[in-house]
């Protein structure tokens, strides 16, 4: 078993924390119609980091597949591993959340949707297609749809990486930039389109191919730290004190800044080390391990809470308790998904006796 890259685990933890906090605050404001005057500012703070957090999760995914040499196994083995690790937890989490929503709402929320559209959920792309038409989407959002497509085309990208790595990068960059700055031919939000996101996934693969496990120079890490501070600092000023900002970044230009920021964080933190027998190492490794299942269940739980409760009169103390409650429920939900997924996998794919 290959050694963990704890720096990438730290990034996964950072990513899931900011995404969780962003969803909690934004759902309080828009689903719960919350009136706490501090929450819009808190939401903006987490929103600034939520996008680069999502991006470096895609980059890490591409990097991790190359690190684990997933391009060297057979296509059957590769797709079976992805099905076990991606789809089984998704199906389990979807079933649990559907039952929970049915219990709370006393019915299926998408009862008016044509049954054939459940195929989107089976394929794991209902979050993406929900932007086009109503379907049975409940968990995973656009992230699930994008990672499904990225994993599906990984063998092709791995082949292209060996044959024409920089040409492939150039083609993907041209496609993404045309979609971002010139013309988006799809009804799907360009930032949530798998065709656009694919370049981040490939950058992760390319980073492993070019950098590998080489030690990153200290000066490079400092440069990455400066880049992170500058971009994050600019967005905080742009949001909280726009009159003091040297310039304002559009959403399109901001995506470029977020991309640079994401790569900088990966380069800057990849070589971080922790004592393998220490509590911090264990905590980071554990949260990283359950992060995918947390991503699957947390937003459905948060959304259900704020859409079925009157939270307009909540004090700051009430919100703190609600936050802790959602954190614990997401943790418990993730653990339940992991345990049930293991049982489903054991049933569907029993290990052959030696």
């Amino acid at each position: 078993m290959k050694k963990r890259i704890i720096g990438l685990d730290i990034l996964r933890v950072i990513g899931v924390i900011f995404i969780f906090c962003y969803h909690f605050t934004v759902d309080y404001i828009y689903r719960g119609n919350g009136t706490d005057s501090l929450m819009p500012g808190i939401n903006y703070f987490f929103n600034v980091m939520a996008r680069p957090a999502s991006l470096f999760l895609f980059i890490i995914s591409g990097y991790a597949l190359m690190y684990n040499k997933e391009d060297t196994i057979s296509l059957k083995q590769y797709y079976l591993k992805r099905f076990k690790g991606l789809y089984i937890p998704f199906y389990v989490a979807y079933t649990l959340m559907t039952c929970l929503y049915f219990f709370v709402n006393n019915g299926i929320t998408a009862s008016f949707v044509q049954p054939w559209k459940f195929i989107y959920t089976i394929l794991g792309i209902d979050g993406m297609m929900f932007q086009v038409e109503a379907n049975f989407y409940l968990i995973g959002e656009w992230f699930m749809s994008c990672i499904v497509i990225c994993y599906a085309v990984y063998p092709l990208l791995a082949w292209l990486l060996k044959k024409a790595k920089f040409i492939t990068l150039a083609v993907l960059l041209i496609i993404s930039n045309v979609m971002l700055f010139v013309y988006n031919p799809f009804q799907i939000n360009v930032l949530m389109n798998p065709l656009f996101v694919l370049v981040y996934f490939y950058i992760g693969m390319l980073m492993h191919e070019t950098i590998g496990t080489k030690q990153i120079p200290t000066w490079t890490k400092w440069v990455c730290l400066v880049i992170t501070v500058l971009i994050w600092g600019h967005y905080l000023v742009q949001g909280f004190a726009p009159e003091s900002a040297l310039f304002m970044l559009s959403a399109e230009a901001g995506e470029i800044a977020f991309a640079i920021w994401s790569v900088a964080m990966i380069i800057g933190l990849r070589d971080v080390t922790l004592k393998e027998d220490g509590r911090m190492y264990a905590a980071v490794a554990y949260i990283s391990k359950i992060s995918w299942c947390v991503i699957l269940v947390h937003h459905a739980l948060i959304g259900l809470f704020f859409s079925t409760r009157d939270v307009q009169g909540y004090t700051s103390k009430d919100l703190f308790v609600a936050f802790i409650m959602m954190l614990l429920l997401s943790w418990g939900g993730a653990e339940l998904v992991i345990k049930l997924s293991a049982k489903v996998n054991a049933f569907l794919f029993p290990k052959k006796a030696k």
Side-chain angles (χ1 to χ4, degrees), residues 2-17 56-57 60 64 269-272 274 280-291:
K2 302 203 73 170
K3 183 179 179 181
R4 298 190 74 96
I5 305 177
I6 200 66
L8 298 187
D9 286 322
I10 291 172
L11 280 167
R12 285 194 189 94
V13 173
I14 293 172
V16 76
I17 287 173
F56 64 60
L57 289 177
I60 289 171
L269 291 177
R270 192 204 66 174
D271 292 340
V272 169
L274 296 171
M280 184 62 72
Y281 183 97
V284 169
Y286 171 72
I287 298 173
S288 176
K289 174 188 171 184
I290 69 170
S291 61

Side-chain angles (χ1 to χ4, degrees), residues 88-136:
I88 294 298
F90 173 71
Y91 294 152
V92 170
Y94 187 91
T95 302
L96 291 174
M97 292 301 106
T98 297
C99 292
L100 178 61
Y101 270 61
F102 184 90
F103 177 80
V104 173
N105 296 318
N106 194 30
I108 300 174
T109 54
S111 57
F112 63 92
V113 177
Q114 296 167 294
W116 71 264
K117 292 182 181 178
F118 194 67
I119 188 66
Y120 296 147
T121 300
I122 293 173
L123 295 174
I125 59 171
D126 51 358
M128 174 183 70
M129 294 305 299
F130 193 73
Q131 300 178 60
V132 179
E133 58 184 356
N135 57 52
F136 294 93

Side-chain angles (χ1 to χ4, degrees), residues 222-259:
W222 278 106
V223 169
C224 291
L225 175 62
V226 170
I227 291 172
T228 297
V229 171
L230 287 176
I231 297 177
W232 199 356
H234 171 80
Y235 269 100
L236 293 179
V237 172
Q238 180 172 304
F240 291 112
E243 68 282 354
S244 301
L246 297 177
F247 52 88
M248 303 293 284
L249 286 174
S250 64
E252 293 78 13
E255 182 66 12
I256 303 300
F258 289 147

Side-chain angles (χ1 to χ4, degrees), residues 7-263:
L8 298 187
D9 286 322
I10 291 172
L11 280 167
R12 285 194 189 94
V13 173
I14 293 172
V16 76
I17 287 173
F18 272 86
I19 291 170
F20 180 93
C21 292
Y22 167 69
H23 283 150
F24 181 86
T25 55
V26 75
D27 277 19
Y28 165 76
I29 294 170
Y30 293 106
R31 290 196 186 189
N33 296 313
T35 57
D36 189 293
S37 60
L38 294 177
M39 288 301 277
I42 296 173
N43 172 248
Y44 177 80
F45 175 81
F46 287 112
N47 186 25
V48 167
M49 188 63 183
R51 181 61 184 177
S54 298
L55 299 186
F56 64 60
L57 289 177
F58 285 113
I59 298 173
I60 289 171
S61 296
Y63 188 99
L65 288 178
M66 295 301 295
Y67 178 74
N68 291 321
K69 299 188 181 299
E70 296 290 322
D71 57 320
T72 62
I73 62 177
S74 68
L75 288 177
K76 179 181 177 181
Q77 286 179 299
Y78 169 77
Y79 284 115
L80 184 58
K81 287 178 70 174
R82 300 288 78 76
F83 181 79
K84 290 180 178 180
L86 186 70
Y87 276 105
I88 294 298
F90 173 71
Y91 294 152
V92 170
Y94 187 91
T95 302
L96 291 174
M97 292 301 106
T98 297
C99 292
L100 178 61
Y101 270 61
F102 184 90
F103 177 80
V104 173
N105 296 318
N106 194 30
I108 300 174
T109 54
S111 57
F112 63 92
V113 177
Q114 296 167 294
W116 71 264
K117 292 182 181 178
F118 194 67
I119 188 66
Y120 296 147
T121 300
I122 293 173
L123 295 174
I125 59 171
D126 51 358
M128 174 183 70
M129 294 305 299
F130 193 73
Q131 300 178 60
V132 179
E133 58 184 356
N135 57 52
F136 294 93
Y137 156 71
L138 187 59
I139 66 169
E141 303 168 84
W142 65 276
F143 189 92
M144 174 67 183
S145 304
C146 288
I147 204 67
V148 162
I149 302 300
C150 289
Y151 280 165
V153 301
Y154 168 76
L156 173 61
L157 291 177
W159 181 80
L160 290 171
L161 186 66
K162 290 177 171 54
K163 299 295 182 180
K165 56 187 174 185
F166 292 115
I167 293 176
T168 304
L169 175 64
V171 170
L172 290 174
L173 283 172
I174 290 170
I175 291 172
S176 61
N177 277 278
V178 167
M179 291 175 63
L180 183 63
F181 290 104
V182 182
Y183 176 64
N184 176 21
F186 306 98
Q187 295 179 359
I188 302 165
N189 183 326
V190 65
L191 302 182
M192 302 177 182
N193 190 320
L195 186 59
F196 177 82
V197 170
L198 203 59
V199 68
Y200 297 112
F201 183 77
Y202 183 77
I203 286 173
M205 296 171 61
L206 183 62
M207 285 178 68
H208 182 271
E209 184 74 4
T210 54
I211 301 174
T213 56
K214 298 175 185 175
Q215 192 73 18
I216 296 172
T218 302
W219 69 266
T220 304
K221 297 175 187 177
W222 278 106
V223 169
C224 291
L225 175 62
V226 170
I227 291 172
T228 297
V229 171
L230 287 176
I231 297 177
W232 199 356
H234 171 80
Y235 269 100
L236 293 179
V237 172
Q238 180 172 304
F240 291 112
E243 68 282 354
S244 301
L246 297 177
F247 52 88
M248 303 293 284
L249 286 174
S250 64
E252 293 78 13
E255 182 66 12
I256 303 300
F258 289 147
I260 294 171
W261 183 1
S262 301
V263 172

Side-chain angles (χ1 to χ4, degrees), residues 292-314:
W292 171 235
C293 292
V294 171
I295 287 173
L296 285 177
V297 302
H298 81 281
H299 200 189
L301 292 170
I302 292 170
L304 181 63
F305 177 76
F306 282 122
S307 62
T308 58
R309 295 291 184 274
D310 181 3
V311 300
Q312 291 188 352
Y314 271 23

